[in-house]
Amino acid sequence: MRRVLLILTAVLLLPFASLAAQSPTTGRIVGRVLDGATGTGLTDAGIQIVGTTLGTISGVDGRFSLNAVPAGTVTITVRRIGYAPKTITGIFLEAGKSVEQDVSLAAASVQLTAQVVTASAERGTVNDALDQQRNATGIVSSVTAEQMSKSPDGDAAKAIQRVSGVTVQDGRSVFVRGLGERYTVTNLNGARLPSPEPEKRFVPLDLFPSSLLQSVNVSKTFTPDLSGDFSGASVDIRTREYPARRALAFSSSMGFNDAVTGQSVVSAPRVGSEWLGYGGSQRNLPSGLASAGAVGGLTDRTQINGAINQLRNAWTPTQMTGLPNGSFGISLGGQDPVLGLRIGYLGSFTYSMAHEIRADDYQANPVQENGRPVVLEKWEGEGSSQTAQWGGLLNFSAMVTPRTLISLNNTYTRSADNDARRSSGPAFSFGLANVERMTLRFVERSIRSTQLKGEHALTGRQQFDWQVSTSGVTRLEPDRSDLVYAQFTQDGPFSWSDGNPDVARRTFGELAENNMFYAANYKIQLGAAADAPVLKFGGAFRTTDRSAFNRQFSIVSTLVPVTDRARRAEDLFDGRYTSGSDDIFNIINVAEDGVYDASERLSAGYMMAEMPIGVRFRVIAGARVENADINVSTQLSNNSRFVSTLNNTDVLPAIVLNVQLGNRSQLRASASQTLARPEYRELSPVQYLEVVGGQITRGNGDLVRTLIQNYDLKYEAFLASGELFSVGVFAKRFDRPIERIDLATGGQPFVSFFNAQEAFNVGFELEVRKALGAFTPVLEPYSVFSNLTLMKSDITVGTGASSNTNANRAMMGQAPWVVNMGLSRTGATGSSATVLYSAVGPRIFSAGTVPFPDVIEQPRHMVDLSIRIPMGDRWAWKVDARNLLDAPFRLTQGPVTRESYRTGRALSLGVSWK
């Protein structure tokens, strides 16, 4: 412990430390020794510089470092009991520099035949994404930093869409195999991330710039060492590791959107700090309205007028010239000696600002007429959003001993959206008179994570790792304003409407959640042979505490003078009618808004065994036990209190069979049971109400968790370096799935959540990556990739309130097909050009209420282009184009279009230096 404290102290002083340099005639070789079949690091492997007495032994995770190696062309030999020795030739080492060289070892044959390869050939066999997929215990798909660098994907949300069967809704929420966000969990470097969203359980992946990421791994099958509350996928975001030698990199880009930049667009008034991702104190909830009973206690006219005057006087969107988009990033990393140890470090920062558009914005609500939906009310207009995003990471690691690696990872990201929308059209609640709806909305989100991890190679056969992490999220929606003006005569002005509680509304929302996570794992290999059985067990404990409130206030009046009703709201609320004892305006609470607090205590333990059977078969079997104790306490603005609890202990078994069919092909089969728990917000009756034409959303304290049985069968063939052919099928059965239901109430649309009886999900997956040079030399520079997922689901609604929905339908968010395709060309100088296509089939956005059909999100075809042009060893240019087809986002309900808008085409030009 004393040594660890000294190391952490040294880390803080690292920028000021005097850094030792390599001798001018020597260099350093670092890397890992890996099991060629499983990809795991091998300890106790001997690494020798041929022709010298220099050598070392690999430590934790197979890592090794050879120091003071004579510069020049070097050959190394690697040996370990149970594996065939391997010699790597042609490693060129510059004086004073470092070289990274990983080595994979094959299990020993009877004759222990040695293998000799060149350094370039050894590196050429390594393709990170496919290696992770081939060597994983279960079915895993990955997107690596290299792939992200060759695409226009600026964040994790865009990058993960390239994975087979993965789609992203609203640019943030991940759907895997057509299953919604409740069936997907998100981890950062192996630790769970909390969600900053009040309505759904998902981590907005657009918060993570791709420049900070090493890889995004998607596990589609459950094994006992993973969290049990997923059946769609477990997404693990891995931040970048430090490089072998000191490296500084910088990047910057500028771009435009053809529907925004230089155009006159609707915009939200600013207070000056939006570019930093902060709303500013002017948007805070006024002190006079802070307590739940404050409005009811405002009986004095001076108090009522004072509360109204405390609100920021901003109601109406403005027009501005659309701004260009831009970003920049900088990172510094390496390894340097501190207190006799080599400390690995990486610091990185990135910032971006984008101006986005909702062009041709259209919304409608239907009514039933002659047995079919027809438009009841509709609005047309536009909206725009200015989005600021920044984030950084600061990671350290140290090999305290050859068998002990300690790492400290810190990540923080923040984003803010400043939205404005304006639309007009007939509204049912106004007697189908034309109305003009105006919304100003500012939402800021942040995610922080700090992780202290230790990895220990106790012996060559025993490994132990542990982790302590703390993470937290915030979501602040300060001072949203919704304003409605009505036009009561055909050519008359839009003006204030008497007595309607929906014409002037302010909303204040805040969510904060904090997590603590503790985990430990122990693994032992039961024998010296490379194919010896492996036993692994461990446990985890997680605490989660969330507080959230949603306060809504409406300003009402029947006394505004007729001559003033067409004034801008900023004039009506500038104090002329709210001074002293004026009796013109009143302020009221919106029913059933309020505050809820949630806590969860989760304890888990697991045991699993990996057992080779003969040469070709490997079985992984075990079980996980999880206990979750959830408590949600709600206080509404009318002082009503509700408490919802959920406490379950579940045994979650899993078995996986991997069959090695040949040197480059394998078959995987798995069966498991997982679960899905209700989101805290779904257990709380706090109500969220949109203004005219919007939806009322309220939770259901009677929800129970869902149990899911999962079955997978997949064939994989790794043809050549970077090439893959895979085909698979999967099936799932859901017991009491939770569905979001759109209920008919005779008034505004009403949304709640219910447990259906059961559901089934089956699907087919195909993935191909192929270099085209095998067909003809003319196509040597070209390669293609494609993945296709076909899915079908069926839900049995059962009895209760949910029986009002359509019984014969797919599950929420279940698309019948998902397709991704890409064509890349690589030039002799390292330049590349990639065209990407993706589309998702029609899927249920909201389940309709009989006799209304379901609300369907229609397919949206996306084409992107990315070009990379290196300029020497240090500089590179990039050109990215997104959404070249500018396909509209569109929701339909039968023949009625419920919502539609376009986002424009985006083009950017960037430069990077390293």
PDB file of all heavy atoms in Angstrom, residues 18-49:
ATOM      1  N   SER A  18      11.699  14.895 -13.800  1.00  0.00           N
ATOM      2  CA  SER A  18      12.788  14.826 -14.773  1.00  0.00           C
ATOM      3  C   SER A  18      12.776  13.426 -15.356  1.00  0.00           C
ATOM      4  O   SER A  18      12.923  12.436 -14.646  1.00  0.00           O
ATOM      5  CB  SER A  18      14.125  15.088 -14.081  1.00  0.00           C
ATOM      6  OG  SER A  18      14.342  14.166 -13.042  1.00  0.00           O
ATOM      7  N   LEU A  19      12.563  13.355 -16.670  1.00  0.00           N
ATOM      8  CA  LEU A  19      12.336  12.071 -17.313  1.00  0.00           C
ATOM      9  C   LEU A  19      13.645  11.522 -17.884  1.00  0.00           C
ATOM     10  O   LEU A  19      14.332  12.180 -18.649  1.00  0.00           O
ATOM     11  CB  LEU A  19      11.305  12.250 -18.440  1.00  0.00           C
ATOM     12  CG  LEU A  19       9.977  12.889 -17.962  1.00  0.00           C
ATOM     13  CD1 LEU A  19       9.059  13.090 -19.152  1.00  0.00           C
ATOM     14  CD2 LEU A  19       9.345  12.015 -16.904  1.00  0.00           C
ATOM     15  N   ALA A  20      13.942  10.296 -17.463  1.00  0.00           N
ATOM     16  CA  ALA A  20      15.142   9.650 -17.966  1.00  0.00           C
ATOM     17  C   ALA A  20      14.958   9.285 -19.430  1.00  0.00           C
ATOM     18  O   ALA A  20      13.882   8.957 -19.868  1.00  0.00           O
ATOM     19  CB  ALA A  20      15.432   8.385 -17.155  1.00  0.00           C
ATOM     20  N   ALA A  21      16.005   9.340 -20.194  1.00  0.00           N
ATOM     21  CA  ALA A  21      15.949   9.023 -21.616  1.00  0.00           C
ATOM     22  C   ALA A  21      16.703   7.738 -21.895  1.00  0.00           C
ATOM     23  O   ALA A  21      17.566   7.320 -21.136  1.00  0.00           O
ATOM     24  CB  ALA A  21      16.556  10.165 -22.444  1.00  0.00           C
ATOM     25  N   GLN A  22      16.342   7.097 -23.002  1.00  0.00           N
ATOM     26  CA  GLN A  22      17.081   5.920 -23.440  1.00  0.00           C
ATOM     27  C   GLN A  22      18.507   6.326 -23.836  1.00  0.00           C
ATOM     28  O   GLN A  22      18.760   7.465 -24.215  1.00  0.00           O
ATOM     29  CB  GLN A  22      16.375   5.294 -24.644  1.00  0.00           C
ATOM     30  CG  GLN A  22      14.994   4.734 -24.342  1.00  0.00           C
ATOM     31  CD  GLN A  22      15.042   3.374 -23.703  1.00  0.00           C
ATOM     32  OE1 GLN A  22      16.108   2.786 -23.545  1.00  0.00           O
ATOM     33  NE2 GLN A  22      13.893   2.882 -23.284  1.00  0.00           N
ATOM     34  N   SER A  23      19.400   5.388 -23.724  1.00  0.00           N
ATOM     35  CA  SER A  23      20.751   5.612 -24.220  1.00  0.00           C
ATOM     36  C   SER A  23      20.694   5.920 -25.704  1.00  0.00           C
ATOM     37  O   SER A  23      19.840   5.402 -26.422  1.00  0.00           O
ATOM     38  CB  SER A  23      21.595   4.343 -23.969  1.00  0.00           C
ATOM     39  OG  SER A  23      22.751   4.374 -24.757  1.00  0.00           O
ATOM     40  N   PRO A  24      21.589   6.763 -26.215  1.00  0.00           N
ATOM     41  CA  PRO A  24      21.555   7.103 -27.642  1.00  0.00           C
ATOM     42  C   PRO A  24      21.838   5.912 -28.553  1.00  0.00           C
ATOM     43  O   PRO A  24      21.692   6.036 -29.758  1.00  0.00           O
ATOM     44  CB  PRO A  24      22.640   8.180 -27.774  1.00  0.00           C
ATOM     45  CG  PRO A  24      23.509   8.030 -26.573  1.00  0.00           C
ATOM     46  CD  PRO A  24      22.634   7.529 -25.484  1.00  0.00           C
ATOM     47  N   THR A  25      22.251   4.775 -27.992  1.00  0.00           N
ATOM     48  CA  THR A  25      22.545   3.602 -28.833  1.00  0.00           C
ATOM     49  C   THR A  25      21.606   2.437 -28.555  1.00  0.00           C
ATOM     50  O   THR A  25      21.784   1.362 -29.112  1.00  0.00           O
ATOM     51  CB  THR A  25      23.997   3.139 -28.603  1.00  0.00           C
ATOM     52  OG1 THR A  25      24.152   2.785 -27.220  1.00  0.00           O
ATOM     53  CG2 THR A  25      24.981   4.226 -28.977  1.00  0.00           C
ATOM     54  N   THR A  26      20.629   2.636 -27.688  1.00  0.00           N
ATOM     55  CA  THR A  26      19.710   1.540 -27.357  1.00  0.00           C
ATOM     56  C   THR A  26      18.266   2.015 -27.464  1.00  0.00           C
ATOM     57  O   THR A  26      17.985   3.199 -27.547  1.00  0.00           O
ATOM     58  CB  THR A  26      19.952   1.009 -25.931  1.00  0.00           C
ATOM     59  OG1 THR A  26      19.664   2.047 -24.989  1.00  0.00           O
ATOM     60  CG2 THR A  26      21.383   0.542 -25.763  1.00  0.00           C
ATOM     61  N   GLY A  27      17.359   1.038 -27.428  1.00  0.00           N
ATOM     62  CA  GLY A  27      15.928   1.325 -27.454  1.00  0.00           C
ATOM     63  C   GLY A  27      15.189   0.343 -26.567  1.00  0.00           C
ATOM     64  O   GLY A  27      15.791  -0.373 -25.758  1.00  0.00           O
ATOM     65  N   ARG A  28      13.881   0.281 -26.751  1.00  0.00           N
ATOM     66  CA  ARG A  28      13.061  -0.541 -25.878  1.00  0.00           C
ATOM     67  C   ARG A  28      12.009  -1.274 -26.711  1.00  0.00           C
ATOM     68  O   ARG A  28      11.432  -0.706 -27.643  1.00  0.00           O
ATOM     69  CB  ARG A  28      12.385   0.334 -24.821  1.00  0.00           C
ATOM     70  CG  ARG A  28      11.674  -0.411 -23.708  1.00  0.00           C
ATOM     71  CD  ARG A  28      11.378   0.552 -22.548  1.00  0.00           C
ATOM     72  NE  ARG A  28      10.431   1.582 -22.957  1.00  0.00           N
ATOM     73  CZ  ARG A  28       9.124   1.550 -22.676  1.00  0.00           C
ATOM     74  NH1 ARG A  28       8.637   0.547 -21.981  1.00  0.00           N
ATOM     75  NH2 ARG A  28       8.337   2.523 -23.069  1.00  0.00           N
ATOM     76  N   ILE A  29      11.757  -2.538 -26.383  1.00  0.00           N
ATOM     77  CA  ILE A  29      10.718  -3.336 -27.030  1.00  0.00           C
ATOM     78  C   ILE A  29       9.680  -3.690 -25.967  1.00  0.00           C
ATOM     79  O   ILE A  29      10.019  -4.239 -24.919  1.00  0.00           O
ATOM     80  CB  ILE A  29      11.288  -4.623 -27.660  1.00  0.00           C
ATOM     81  CG1 ILE A  29      12.353  -4.287 -28.695  1.00  0.00           C
ATOM     82  CG2 ILE A  29      10.166  -5.448 -28.292  1.00  0.00           C
ATOM     83  CD1 ILE A  29      13.031  -5.507 -29.281  1.00  0.00           C
ATOM     84  N   VAL A  30       8.424  -3.322 -26.224  1.00  0.00           N
ATOM     85  CA  VAL A  30       7.341  -3.630 -25.297  1.00  0.00           C
ATOM     86  C   VAL A  30       6.253  -4.377 -26.058  1.00  0.00           C
ATOM     87  O   VAL A  30       6.164  -4.319 -27.282  1.00  0.00           O
ATOM     88  CB  VAL A  30       6.755  -2.364 -24.656  1.00  0.00           C
ATOM     89  CG1 VAL A  30       7.801  -1.631 -23.859  1.00  0.00           C
ATOM     90  CG2 VAL A  30       6.154  -1.444 -25.719  1.00  0.00           C
ATOM     91  N   GLY A  31       5.414  -5.079 -25.321  1.00  0.00           N
ATOM     92  CA  GLY A  31       4.319  -5.799 -25.958  1.00  0.00           C
ATOM     93  C   GLY A  31       3.655  -6.765 -25.015  1.00  0.00           C
ATOM     94  O   GLY A  31       3.813  -6.688 -23.793  1.00  0.00           O
ATOM     95  N   ARG A  32       2.893  -7.693 -25.601  1.00  0.00           N
ATOM     96  CA  ARG A  32       2.199  -8.714 -24.833  1.00  0.00           C
ATOM     97  C   ARG A  32       2.398 -10.057 -25.492  1.00  0.00           C
ATOM     98  O   ARG A  32       2.518 -10.161 -26.725  1.00  0.00           O
ATOM     99  CB  ARG A  32       0.711  -8.417 -24.759  1.00  0.00           C
ATOM    100  CG  ARG A  32       0.335  -7.133 -24.027  1.00  0.00           C
ATOM    101  CD  ARG A  32      -1.161  -6.890 -24.109  1.00  0.00           C
ATOM    102  NE  ARG A  32      -1.914  -7.947 -23.464  1.00  0.00           N
ATOM    103  CZ  ARG A  32      -3.191  -8.269 -23.752  1.00  0.00           C
ATOM    104  NH1 ARG A  32      -3.809  -7.620 -24.712  1.00  0.00           N
ATOM    105  NH2 ARG A  32      -3.803  -9.232 -23.108  1.00  0.00           N
ATOM    106  N   VAL A  33       2.436 -11.108 -24.683  1.00  0.00           N
ATOM    107  CA  VAL A  33       2.448 -12.487 -25.167  1.00  0.00           C
ATOM    108  C   VAL A  33       1.036 -13.028 -25.000  1.00  0.00           C
ATOM    109  O   VAL A  33       0.490 -13.024 -23.885  1.00  0.00           O
ATOM    110  CB  VAL A  33       3.460 -13.352 -24.393  1.00  0.00           C
ATOM    111  CG1 VAL A  33       3.439 -14.772 -24.934  1.00  0.00           C
ATOM    112  CG2 VAL A  33       4.856 -12.753 -24.493  1.00  0.00           C
ATOM    113  N   LEU A  34       0.440 -13.489 -26.117  1.00  0.00           N
ATOM    114  CA  LEU A  34      -0.968 -13.866 -26.130  1.00  0.00           C
ATOM    115  C   LEU A  34      -1.137 -15.326 -26.503  1.00  0.00           C
ATOM    116  O   LEU A  34      -0.350 -15.880 -27.289  1.00  0.00           O
ATOM    117  CB  LEU A  34      -1.733 -13.006 -27.138  1.00  0.00           C
ATOM    118  CG  LEU A  34      -1.604 -11.488 -26.989  1.00  0.00           C
ATOM    119  CD1 LEU A  34      -2.246 -10.797 -28.179  1.00  0.00           C
ATOM    120  CD2 LEU A  34      -2.235 -11.030 -25.698  1.00  0.00           C
ATOM    121  N   ASP A  35      -2.174 -15.951 -25.949  1.00  0.00           N
ATOM    122  CA  ASP A  35      -2.599 -17.274 -26.384  1.00  0.00           C
ATOM    123  C   ASP A  35      -3.253 -17.119 -27.754  1.00  0.00           C
ATOM    124  O   ASP A  35      -4.229 -16.388 -27.911  1.00  0.00           O
ATOM    125  CB  ASP A  35      -3.584 -17.869 -25.376  1.00  0.00           C
ATOM    126  CG  ASP A  35      -3.970 -19.309 -25.712  1.00  0.00           C
ATOM    127  OD1 ASP A  35      -4.385 -19.551 -26.858  1.00  0.00           O
ATOM    128  OD2 ASP A  35      -3.865 -20.174 -24.818  1.00  0.00           O
ATOM    129  N   GLY A  36      -2.706 -17.788 -28.762  1.00  0.00           N
ATOM    130  CA  GLY A  36      -3.203 -17.620 -30.121  1.00  0.00           C
ATOM    131  C   GLY A  36      -4.623 -18.093 -30.305  1.00  0.00           C
ATOM    132  O   GLY A  36      -5.301 -17.663 -31.234  1.00  0.00           O
ATOM    133  N   ALA A  37      -5.123 -18.986 -29.431  1.00  0.00           N
ATOM    134  CA  ALA A  37      -6.473 -19.510 -29.576  1.00  0.00           C
ATOM    135  C   ALA A  37      -7.507 -18.672 -28.848  1.00  0.00           C
ATOM    136  O   ALA A  37      -8.626 -18.503 -29.313  1.00  0.00           O
ATOM    137  CB  ALA A  37      -6.536 -20.949 -29.075  1.00  0.00           C
ATOM    138  N   THR A  38      -7.154 -18.144 -27.684  1.00  0.00           N
ATOM    139  CA  THR A  38      -8.136 -17.430 -26.865  1.00  0.00           C
ATOM    140  C   THR A  38      -7.890 -15.933 -26.790  1.00  0.00           C
ATOM    141  O   THR A  38      -8.764 -15.180 -26.382  1.00  0.00           O
ATOM    142  CB  THR A  38      -8.144 -17.981 -25.428  1.00  0.00           C
ATOM    143  OG1 THR A  38      -6.885 -17.686 -24.798  1.00  0.00           O
ATOM    144  CG2 THR A  38      -8.366 -19.486 -25.428  1.00  0.00           C
ATOM    145  N   GLY A  39      -6.683 -15.481 -27.148  1.00  0.00           N
ATOM    146  CA  GLY A  39      -6.377 -14.059 -27.079  1.00  0.00           C
ATOM    147  C   GLY A  39      -6.044 -13.560 -25.688  1.00  0.00           C
ATOM    148  O   GLY A  39      -5.797 -12.371 -25.501  1.00  0.00           O
ATOM    149  N   THR A  40      -6.011 -14.421 -24.684  1.00  0.00           N
ATOM    150  CA  THR A  40      -5.691 -14.000 -23.328  1.00  0.00           C
ATOM    151  C   THR A  40      -4.184 -13.842 -23.157  1.00  0.00           C
ATOM    152  O   THR A  40      -3.378 -14.503 -23.828  1.00  0.00           O
ATOM    153  CB  THR A  40      -6.204 -15.029 -22.303  1.00  0.00           C
ATOM    154  OG1 THR A  40      -5.638 -16.317 -22.592  1.00  0.00           O
ATOM    155  CG2 THR A  40      -7.709 -15.126 -22.358  1.00  0.00           C
ATOM    156  N   GLY A  41      -3.779 -12.950 -22.243  1.00  0.00           N
ATOM    157  CA  GLY A  41      -2.364 -12.745 -21.984  1.00  0.00           C
ATOM    158  C   GLY A  41      -1.752 -13.916 -21.236  1.00  0.00           C
ATOM    159  O   GLY A  41      -2.382 -14.513 -20.360  1.00  0.00           O
ATOM    160  N   LEU A  42      -0.518 -14.240 -21.571  1.00  0.00           N
ATOM    161  CA  LEU A  42       0.193 -15.374 -20.964  1.00  0.00           C
ATOM    162  C   LEU A  42       1.305 -14.853 -20.057  1.00  0.00           C
ATOM    163  O   LEU A  42       2.196 -14.128 -20.498  1.00  0.00           O
ATOM    164  CB  LEU A  42       0.792 -16.280 -22.045  1.00  0.00           C
ATOM    165  CG  LEU A  42      -0.202 -16.982 -22.979  1.00  0.00           C
ATOM    166  CD1 LEU A  42       0.536 -17.742 -24.065  1.00  0.00           C
ATOM    167  CD2 LEU A  42      -1.116 -17.912 -22.193  1.00  0.00           C
ATOM    168  N   THR A  43       1.241 -15.211 -18.786  1.00  0.00           N
ATOM    169  CA  THR A  43       2.320 -14.874 -17.862  1.00  0.00           C
ATOM    170  C   THR A  43       3.401 -15.948 -17.921  1.00  0.00           C
ATOM    171  O   THR A  43       3.210 -17.041 -18.459  1.00  0.00           O
ATOM    172  CB  THR A  43       1.780 -14.778 -16.429  1.00  0.00           C
ATOM    173  OG1 THR A  43       1.205 -16.038 -16.061  1.00  0.00           O
ATOM    174  CG2 THR A  43       0.715 -13.702 -16.328  1.00  0.00           C
ATOM    175  N   ASP A  44       4.563 -15.601 -17.354  1.00  0.00           N
ATOM    176  CA  ASP A  44       5.688 -16.540 -17.227  1.00  0.00           C
ATOM    177  C   ASP A  44       6.209 -17.039 -18.565  1.00  0.00           C
ATOM    178  O   ASP A  44       6.776 -18.129 -18.655  1.00  0.00           O
ATOM    179  CB  ASP A  44       5.301 -17.747 -16.348  1.00  0.00           C
ATOM    180  CG  ASP A  44       5.125 -17.346 -14.898  1.00  0.00           C
ATOM    181  OD1 ASP A  44       5.626 -16.268 -14.518  1.00  0.00           O
ATOM    182  OD2 ASP A  44       4.484 -18.088 -14.140  1.00  0.00           O
ATOM    183  N   ALA A  45       6.034 -16.264 -19.620  1.00  0.00           N
ATOM    184  CA  ALA A  45       6.665 -16.602 -20.896  1.00  0.00           C
ATOM    185  C   ALA A  45       8.031 -15.931 -20.944  1.00  0.00           C
ATOM    186  O   ALA A  45       8.184 -14.769 -20.548  1.00  0.00           O
ATOM    187  CB  ALA A  45       5.804 -16.131 -22.064  1.00  0.00           C
ATOM    188  N   GLY A  46       9.016 -16.629 -21.420  1.00  0.00           N
ATOM    189  CA  GLY A  46      10.359 -16.079 -21.523  1.00  0.00           C
ATOM    190  C   GLY A  46      10.588 -15.409 -22.861  1.00  0.00           C
ATOM    191  O   GLY A  46      10.319 -15.997 -23.909  1.00  0.00           O
ATOM    192  N   ILE A  47      11.080 -14.180 -22.841  1.00  0.00           N
ATOM    193  CA  ILE A  47      11.362 -13.418 -24.060  1.00  0.00           C
ATOM    194  C   ILE A  47      12.854 -13.135 -24.084  1.00  0.00           C
ATOM    195  O   ILE A  47      13.402 -12.538 -23.152  1.00  0.00           O
ATOM    196  CB  ILE A  47      10.567 -12.096 -24.116  1.00  0.00           C
ATOM    197  CG1 ILE A  47       9.067 -12.359 -23.995  1.00  0.00           C
ATOM    198  CG2 ILE A  47      10.861 -11.348 -25.414  1.00  0.00           C
ATOM    199  CD1 ILE A  47       8.517 -12.195 -22.606  1.00  0.00           C
ATOM    200  N   GLN A  48      13.538 -13.559 -25.136  1.00  0.00           N
ATOM    201  CA  GLN A  48      14.996 -13.466 -25.223  1.00  0.00           C
ATOM    202  C   GLN A  48      15.396 -12.742 -26.497  1.00  0.00           C
ATOM    203  O   GLN A  48      14.847 -12.988 -27.577  1.00  0.00           O
ATOM    204  CB  GLN A  48      15.613 -14.866 -25.227  1.00  0.00           C
ATOM    205  CG  GLN A  48      17.129 -14.895 -25.228  1.00  0.00           C
ATOM    206  CD  GLN A  48      17.705 -14.654 -23.838  1.00  0.00           C
ATOM    207  OE1 GLN A  48      17.041 -14.933 -22.838  1.00  0.00           O
ATOM    208  NE2 GLN A  48      18.917 -14.151 -23.771  1.00  0.00           N
ATOM    209  N   ILE A  49      16.376 -11.792 -26.393  1.00  0.00           N
ATOM    210  CA  ILE A  49      16.966 -11.164 -27.571  1.00  0.00           C
ATOM    211  C   ILE A  49      18.024 -12.118 -28.114  1.00  0.00           C
ATOM    212  O   ILE A  49      19.011 -12.432 -27.432  1.00  0.00           O
ATOM    213  CB  ILE A  49      17.618  -9.817 -27.224  1.00  0.00           C
ATOM    214  CG1 ILE A  49      16.595  -8.874 -26.579  1.00  0.00           C
ATOM    215  CG2 ILE A  49      18.217  -9.182 -28.473  1.00  0.00           C
ATOM    216  CD1 ILE A  49      15.498  -8.439 -27.480  1.00  0.00           C
TER     217      ILE A  49
END
